Amino acid sequence: MIRAVAIVLALLAGTAAAQELDGSVRPNARAVPEAPALVIRPIARGSQDAGPVIRPVARPAPRPDLAHGARTRAINRAEQGLFAFSPYALATSMRPVRRTAAIEAAAEERRLARLRGQVCGDVAIQGQSIGRVDGAGACGIDQAVRVRSVAGITLTPQATMDCRTAAALKRWVERGAIPAVGGEGGGVAGLRVVSHYACRNRNNATSGRLSEHAKGRAIDIAGIRLRSGREITVLTDWGTARDGGRLRQMWRAACGPFGTVLGPEANRFHRDHFHFDTARYRSGPYCR
């Protein structure tokens, strides 16, 4: 009995399989469930069995060479969204033409001439070392120099002094005379010197104390010559609206580099010039 039932079931199963293959399965026929397919699940990152993690790399955006951008139409340029070349701009920047050998040789010669002409160990002080200058009595200068220019400003005539006075004169020219004049008349070109080394007493008196001029420590300046050829003079311009302020600025700037500074308001002997000397006083500079 049991064997007969098994045979019937086997026949029925074979018939159902055949009908499924040729599409003749009846609607009310029961389908035999299929075996579940293999499911592949992702392995969590960091798992020991996962192996090395390969991450995608961003591809670089293709960008033409910017060197060619200036020569293309604006719509095709690589720098879109960053900046734009003018269609009239030069493709390459202009560079100065190299100086000729003759120009460089002339410049080098001027540089060497300045080095040869420097005195007091300062290339900004040009002149000649003349050594010991003897004078009557206590007059005289040790290691004197004859200065023709300071900071590019010419002295007329050349002035004889010691190096401390020459250095003070250079500081005054740079910090006093040049800034006070500024661009007026093209700027300062020269100084008119009315006294430098001279073996004499103060104020040219027949008696009394020796002047600082007698020791090479003083210089008197009466005028400031401009590049335009005009001259600002202490005598005629001290009280003027045009140049009086400049002269007073120069006078104030000298008080410090020099120990004694005298101008038109000091006394009648200095009505027409500035007197600068490098005397030292315990109380500080004497400026009138």
Side-chain angles (χ1 to χ4, degrees), residues 4-256:
V5 173
I7 294 172
V8 172
L9 290 175
L11 292 173
L12 290 174
T15 303
Q19 290 176 349
E20 185 178 357
L21 290 174
D22 62 5
S24 61
V25 181
R26 292 191 301 271
N28 59 354
R30 286 186 177 183
V32 179
E34 297 180 356
L38 178 63
V39 178
I40 301 176
R41 299 182 181 277
I43 301 174
R45 293 180 180 177
S47 173
Q48 295 180 354
D49 300 331
V53 178
I54 301 176
R55 298 181 183 276
V57 179
R59 296 179 181 177
R63 295 179 60 84
D65 189 355
L66 284 179
H68 304 287
R71 300 180 179 87
T72 60
R73 296 178 58 195
I75 194 65
N76 298 324
R77 289 180 187 154
E79 73 280 2
Q80 288 184 45
L82 299 177
F83 58 90
F85 290 105
S86 167
Y88 304 103
L90 295 174
T92 56
S93 61
M94 300 180 68
R95 297 182 181 274
V97 180
R98 182 177 177 84
R99 293 178 178 176
T100 64
I103 293 177
E104 292 187 351
E108 179 64 12
E109 178 58 31
R110 288 193 297 270
R111 187 185 71 84
L112 294 176
R114 284 178 57 80
L115 292 177
R116 290 192 298 268
Q118 71 175 353
V119 293
C120 302
D122 191 338
V123 72
I125 305 175
Q126 294 286 303
Q128 179 184 1
S129 297
I130 56 178
R132 170 70 187 177
V133 174
D134 294 318
C139 294
I141 312 173
D142 290 326
Q143 299 180 347
V145 292
R146 185 177 294 114
V147 180
R148 64 172 177 269
S149 71
V150 291
I153 306 304
T154 303
L155 274 60
T156 307
Q158 298 181 16
T160 301
M161 62 191 77
D162 63 11
C163 280
R164 187 172 71 177
T165 305
L169 181 63
K170 187 199 79 167
R171 289 196 300 273
W172 173 75
V173 167
E174 292 177 336
R175 304 175 188 177
I178 292 177
V181 172
E184 175 68 20
V188 181
L191 304 175
R192 179 159 59 89
V193 179
V194 291
S195 184
H196 44 104
Y197 170 72
C199 185
R200 61 177 176 83
N201 296 326
R202 290 183 177 178
N203 300 324
N204 286 314
T206 56
S207 61
R209 298 180 61 179
L210 277 177
S211 169
E212 293 299 317
H213 286 280
K215 305 170 187 177
R217 302 174 186 168
I219 185 171
D220 291 349
I221 298 171
I224 294 87
R225 188 177 74 259
L226 308 182
R227 297 188 184 281
S228 63
R230 187 171 74 89
E231 185 181 58
I232 301 174
T233 68
V234 177
L235 178 64
T236 60
D237 296 313
W238 177 259
T240 65
R242 181 178 184 180
D243 297 312
R246 293 188 177 94
L247 290 171
R248 290 177 183 274
Q249 184 178 340
M250 295 180 203
W251 175 83
R252 287 192 296 270
C255 192

